[in-house]
Amino acid sequence: MGFPKGFLWGGATAAAQFEGGWRSGGKGESLQDHVTGCAPGGKRLFNAVIHPDTYYPSHDAVDHASHIEEDLALLAEMGCTCYRMSISWSRIFPHGDDDYPNEEGLRFYDHIFQTCERYKMEPVVTINHFDMPWELVRRYGGFLNREVIDLYLRYARVLFERYRGRVRKWLPFNEINFGVLPMGAFKAEGLVPPALREVDQWTPVDELGIPLRDRIQALHHQLVASALTVQIAHDIDPLNQVGCMIGYITKYPLTCSPEDMLACQHDDRFMNRLCSDVLVKGAYPAFALAWFEREGIAPVEKFGDDEVLRENAVDFYAFSYYMSNCATAKTEVERVDGNLLGGARNPYLSASEWGWQVDPDGLRYTINELQDRYSIPMMVVENGLGAPDVVEDDGSIHDAYRIDYLRSHIKAMRDAVDDGANVIGYTAWSPIDSVSSSTGQMSKRYGMVYVDRDDGGSGSGKRSKKDSFAWYQKVIASNGDDLG
Ligand code: BG6
């Protein structure tokens, strides 16, 4: 069988990790502009005050802003039929609550979408990828403040009107489920405690001490904003399709003990199912309501929120998949890292240099689970291996490890399609090297195109093809039949 005709193949990027040009084209300061690369000991730090002598990865990122033509030409040469990217909110509304959108910012994305059109690559646009105008954090307190829903919707409406007919697939929030985690509360929901919003103080981004109650309240606001985005997108153009975007961390019980089974079900529900149940099925699942009540953390809802959630289900289910890990009732077990959330080590799996366990079968398992649970079209919008690359003397980059990773995952996705799953597309993270979200490093590379830039921000920015470039080109040309 294999992939259906018209299956979308591409790559995914995010503005704060890719664009750079943090002060060009009228862009305002954003939350990510306040975050350093990895400090010694491995933590990214936040400070309300920007220090001119400190390196901030988002400021220049990999300078896509001045390489738009070149980067998109590379994706087109690869054969991509779609391109997932995010819009920087502070490029459109520099302070988040400005009276008018920034025309130069809108033109920046006109350029990208016109170029995509020229190459026949369908854009898949994330409206908010782990970033927001800094002023919305400083003066409003991020998504904890209900007023930010309206500011977000105004921003989304501007995008739907401006890019009508050019963009049809939209993702309101990247990995919306990560908002419930301490680091996600900062990146995804823009939560910074009031005492840290003005002072010159360095704090690790995952140690900002955001109470669980606030995280849940902010998440509720994002869920409502996401549902209203579906409504507005459909009103403006019935051809618009809106998806949820879930950071999926597949969970296995560490052992077959009933206690581990229950621990696994618990972690899976809270990590993977809570938000998507709301966005796909239109209501909080019973386990979430019981948890809210037990912990006294039920979000304050406005009259009508239930209806908004019920009536605006998403059109498709998009998710990122990098790894799986294990859940257990025991506390004394070996642990592994993961994107924002680690878990118990699975003795059957190997891990990347950054400790992310590699599990292609987990992708097949996950897609099949999602097919049974939601039965709506699915898209894998992030998947890839973060690894350091070596540039040989002749300039070549032999990244067989990346090819192995991608091959095994695409094969697993094809097996899931053969199992009957409705998967409509795949965008690898990230086709061109970009800054790592968790560490701020450049050396944690995902690209099939290498960017000459190091962890301190030095380098020419030159793009060169790795071995994986030609390999992915063949995969796309054969619609996933030839995996090399
Ligand atoms: C996802 C994010 O969690 O993982 C991306 O949506 C991120 O923004 C990707 O880059 C890979 O994570 P990292 O930390 O290795 O860049």
Side-chain angles (χ1 to χ4, degrees):
M1 270 159 72
F3 294 104
K5 197 162 168 268
F7 187 86
L8 294 171
W9 293 99
T13 65
Q17 297 167 252
F18 195 51
E19 268 181 17
W22 73 299
R23 281 210 159 125
S24 66
K27 180 184 171 298
E29 253 173 48
S30 78
L31 174 66
Q32 291 285 352
D33 293 335
H34 289 254
V35 182
T36 65
C38 242
K43 298 239 177 208
R44 298 194 75 179
L45 303 176
F46 158 80
N47 192 328
V49 176
I50 293 187
H51 289 248
D53 50 349
T54 299
Y55 169 61
Y56 297 89
S58 73
H59 290 192
D60 299 320
V62 294
D63 197 20
H64 172 62
S66 9
H67 292 79
I68 291 175
E69 294 285 337
E70 182 185 354
D71 289 347
L72 295 180
L74 281 162
L75 298 189
E77 189 184 337
M78 229 182 247
C80 293
T81 52
C82 75
Y83 171 43
R84 175 179 173 228
M85 43 141 323
S86 78
I87 291 190
S88 165
W89 189 346
S90 65
R91 216 175 258 295
I92 307 300
F93 284 101
H95 306 91
D97 60 357
D98 314 69
D99 289 338
Y100 300 101
N102 169 33
E103 179 56 31
E104 250 191 289
L106 289 167
R107 270 194 255 123
F108 181 92
Y109 297 105
D110 279 338
H111 181 193
I112 293 182
F113 298 139
Q114 280 158 6
T115 313
C116 284
E117 207 164 65
R118 201 166 78 228
Y119 289 125
K120 298 196 171 42
M121 289 190 294
E122 178 177 356
V124 178
V125 173
T126 318
I127 299 172
N128 184 14
H129 191 124
F130 286 170
D131 202 11
M132 65 170 67
W134 165 242
E135 287 300 304
L136 292 188
V137 177
R138 190 178 74 83
R139 288 189 284 116
Y140 290 79
F143 270 96
L144 185 55
N145 183 337
R146 193 159 176 127
E147 282 177 67
V148 173
I149 300 182
D150 292 333
L151 295 167
Y152 171 86
L153 293 175
R154 196 167 63 119
Y155 157 58
R157 182 182 285 280
V158 164
L159 303 185
F160 297 146
E161 283 169 352
R162 177 74 169 218
Y163 306 120
R164 189 170 176 203
R166 284 227 157 92
V167 181
R168 294 251 161 78
K169 289 194 173 54
W170 301 91
L171 302 170
F173 294 98
N174 181 62
E175 299 186 330
I176 187 167
N177 53 319
F178 283 177
V180 80
L181 307 169
M183 190 172 176
F186 171 77
K187 298 207 289 191
E189 299 177 316
L191 305 190
V192 172
L196 293 178
R197 288 186 206 150
E198 310 277 353
V199 293
D200 188 353
Q201 183 182 316
W202 297 102
T203 314
V205 291
D206 54 352
E207 290 171 20
L208 290 167
I210 311 292
L212 180 60
R213 174 194 289 276
D214 289 355
R215 286 184 242 154
I216 297 297
Q217 185 65 53
L219 188 62
H220 176 71
H221 291 158
Q222 284 187 321
L223 290 166
V224 171
S226 184
L228 287 168
T229 306
V230 174
Q231 191 179 73
I232 297 169
H234 289 170
D235 283 352
I236 291 178
D237 184 350
L239 293 177
N240 274 331
Q241 293 175 307
V242 184
C244 57
M245 187 337 194
I246 302 294
Y248 210 101
I249 308 217
T250 302
K251 287 280 172 189
Y252 302 139
L254 184 62
T255 70
C256 53
S257 80
E259 290 86 356
D260 281 1
M261 279 305 290
L262 282 170
C264 181
Q265 183 180 58
H266 171 275
D267 288 5
D268 185 40
R269 281 172 150 185
F270 288 89
M271 187 62 215
N272 298 321
R273 299 183 175 202
L274 196 162
C275 289
S276 50
D277 274 9
V278 178
L279 296 171
V280 182
K281 296 178 167 183
Y284 284 101
F287 70 81
L289 296 174
W291 179 50
F292 293 162
E293 199 180 312
R294 206 165 52 239
E295 302 289 327
I297 52 167
V300 177
E301 298 193 19
K302 208 169 130 186
F303 181 72
D305 282 359
D306 286 352
E307 202 182 332
V308 164
L309 295 175
R310 195 168 54 242
E311 293 186 351
N312 297 290
V314 290
D315 303 301
F316 65 102
Y317 184 107
F319 67 106
S320 60
Y321 177 86
Y322 291 91
M323 78 196 92
S324 66
N325 57 40
C326 292
T328 174
K330 298 198 182 65
T331 45
E332 297 298 305
V333 292
E334 194 183 342
R335 295 184 64 79
V336 287
D337 231 328
N339 49 348
L340 302 197
L341 186 74
R345 193 178 81 81
N346 185 333
Y348 298 97
L349 299 177
S350 60
S352 78
E353 282 198 32
W354 275 264
W356 294 20
Q357 291 185 143
V358 178
D359 180 15
D361 288 334
L363 178 57
R364 178 179 183 181
Y365 171 81
T366 300
I367 293 173
N368 286 340
E369 279 286 302
L370 291 169
Q371 177 66 41
D372 292 351
R373 192 170 178 87
Y374 299 123
S375 294
I376 58 172
M378 275 170 272
M379 189 162 177
V380 180
V381 291
E382 282 185 37
N383 172 240
L385 177 74
D389 290 320
V390 175
V391 184
E392 306 293 341
D393 292 344
D394 64 357
S396 55
I397 300 144
H398 305 304
D399 57 341
Y401 36 90
R402 185 166 295 105
I403 295 176
D404 285 348
Y405 180 98
L406 293 169
R407 179 195 291 117
S408 58
H409 284 77
I410 293 174
K411 158 98 173 50
M413 184 171 60
R414 193 173 69 192
D415 289 342
V417 168
D418 289 346
D419 291 338
N422 181 8
V423 188
I424 58 168
Y426 173 85
T427 54
W429 183 269
S430 67
I432 299 174
D433 287 343
S434 61
V435 171
S436 156
S437 167
S438 52
T439 68
Q441 291 168 295
M442 268 309 298
S443 50
K444 191 179 186 193
R445 295 176 182 274
Y446 286 85
M448 297 167 231
V449 172
Y450 184 89
V451 177
D452 176 30
R453 214 172 155 78
D454 66 19
D455 287 343
S458 303
S460 64
K462 180 172 173 284
R463 274 72 172 142
S464 20
K465 295 170 192 167
K466 307 181 192 176
D467 287 354
S468 52
F469 185 97
W471 172 82
Y472 196 45
Q473 203 173 35
K474 268 208 313 209
V475 171
I476 299 179
S478 67
N479 196 30
D481 284 343
D482 180 359
L483 297 181

